[in-house]
Amino acid sequence: MKVAVMGAGAVGCYFGAMLARAGHDITLIARPQHVEAVRHHGLMLESRTFTGHIPMQATTDASGVEGADVVLFCVKSPDTESAGRAIAPFLKAEAAILSLQNGVDNAERLRAVTGRIAIPAVVYVATEMAGPGHVKHNGRGELIIGPSAASDDIARQFSEAAVPTTVSDKVTSELWVKLVTNCAYNALSAVAELPYGPLLQIEGVTDVMRAVIGECETVARALDIPLPATLRDSILSLAASMPEQYSSTAQDLMRGKPTEIDHLNGYVVRKGAALGIPTPANLALQVMVKAREARGPSHS
């Protein structure tokens, strides 16, 4: 397949690297410092099973999606509309767009600005950018994608490239599971500047997380979105599987970048307000991150 990665940060670079290793034709669309490094040396992938440079194409221009069979759309949620408009003129008619983003409404928003079907995807991977053109994989790496004419073929080819991918007609519920997980972890990890393992050792943190999860579950029920009965336990046990992982919100704050908090806890707050459901724990975490964001990058 010819694959373009729009917004190639930690998530996009990892999946691009895995697909390139399997022989697919990859173009990364990324920030200038990453593009320059990839053009000179290839993309550096560091994982438990492989460390090395992987040759691929890279550009800063949205026209990099031209001719792609699949576009991995990995920009931050606040940038969905602007990035969608940027790539729209260059998409070939039969291109499949996969929204590999946090939040639950990006595929709909992307469809509205591109006029193309966008396939929602739930991403479970722990990655970070360790430097220009250097992605570090800390764990997991699977995708759950929504059904479409192209989904079964994408899932097969991705799985053959060691990216376990399943197609689910319950993808909306799966997106909400990921949303609730992000609501529980992201803000706390960001404000504390701690990875998940040490974070959960702090007295009271799991109580706050339970309150956040409970609010999310109440909003989801009001929206008729089914969530698993074991969700709370599975979310709280996640830290043990990736104790050294900082949330994406924490990574954004540490780099002085805007966060996605308005599309995580903030999304639940807005939905709760529209439904008349109080969400004070989610609101507190949203406001704490916004206040921390206003202070600028960390110097610790």
Side-chain angles (χ1 to χ4, degrees):
M1 292 184 299
K2 183 172 173 57
V3 179
V5 183
M6 179 63 182
V11 168
C13 282
Y14 171 72
F15 289 113
M18 296 300 289
L19 292 168
R21 285 191 71 200
H24 297 288
D25 180 359
I26 308 299
T27 299
L28 302 181
I29 302 162
R31 296 180 186 277
Q33 68 269 30
H34 294 307
V35 168
E36 188 176 347
V38 171
R39 282 178 171 172
H40 281 88
H41 309 291
L43 178 67
M44 174 69 169
L45 171 63
E46 181 183 349
S47 71
R48 290 167 190 162
T49 57
F50 173 88
T51 297
H53 290 90
I54 303 164
M56 63 185 71
Q57 298 172 76
T59 179
T60 58
D61 200 290
S63 64
V65 304
E66 201 160 14
D69 304 305
V70 178
V71 177
L72 303 185
F73 195 79
C74 304
V75 306
K76 294 292 186 180
S77 292
D79 301 326
T80 292
E81 281 83 4
S82 60
R85 289 189 196 98
I87 65 171
F90 305 104
L91 293 168
K92 72 176 186 179
E94 63 274 27
I97 310 172
L98 275 181
S99 167
L100 271 62
Q101 299 169 276
N102 284 326
V104 296
D105 63 348
N106 282 297
E108 297 163 25
R109 293 163 57 206
L110 194 49
R111 191 177 302 128
V113 296
T114 62
R116 308 294 188 87
I117 290 173
I119 304 167
V122 188
V123 183
Y124 286 106
V125 68
T127 55
E128 61 184 294
M129 294 307 296
H134 180 182
V135 64
K136 185 178 180 185
H137 177 232
N138 296 321
R140 300 186 69 173
E142 66 268 27
L143 299 174
I144 303 169
I145 68 175
S148 76
S151 292
D152 287 339
D153 186 53
I154 289 170
R156 178 183 60 79
Q157 296 206 56
F158 279 33
S159 295
E160 288 171 358
V163 177
T165 304
T166 54
V167 182
S168 172
D169 57 5
K170 298 181 175 65
V171 71
T172 299
S173 291
E174 298 285 359
L175 283 166
W176 265 83
V177 168
K178 178 70 183 299
L179 173 69
V180 180
T181 304
N182 283 334
C183 286
Y185 279 96
N186 278 39
L188 286 165
S189 171
V191 173
E193 296 184 18
L194 284 173
Y196 299 159
L199 179 67
L200 265 69
Q201 300 303 311
I202 298 171
E203 186 178 353
V205 163
T206 55
D207 295 324
V208 172
M209 292 174 74
R210 286 189 184 96
V212 167
I213 295 165
E215 292 175 4
C216 293
E217 289 174 327
T218 302
V219 171
R221 272 195 300 273
L223 294 169
D224 292 323
I225 294 165
L227 294 176
T230 56
L231 182 59
R232 197 168 303 197
D233 291 339
S234 63
I235 288 176
L236 292 173
S237 66
L238 180 67
S241 68
M242 45 180 73
E244 297 173 9
Q245 180 67 24
Y246 287 83
S247 72
S248 58
T249 306
Q251 294 181 47
D252 287 338
L253 283 182
M254 287 188 274
R255 294 187 172 97
K257 292 166 62 178
T259 75
E260 297 178 295
I261 202 66
D262 290 339
H263 298 270
L264 303 176
N265 303 83
Y267 182 83
V268 175
V269 170
R270 288 194 301 279
K271 287 294 181 184
L275 294 161
I277 297 169
T279 53
N282 278 279
L283 176 60
L285 292 183
Q286 180 193 16
V287 170
M288 287 169 69
V289 170
K290 298 289 277 189
R292 175 63 188 78
E293 205 172 16
R295 201 185 84 194
S298 168
H299 300 292
S300 60

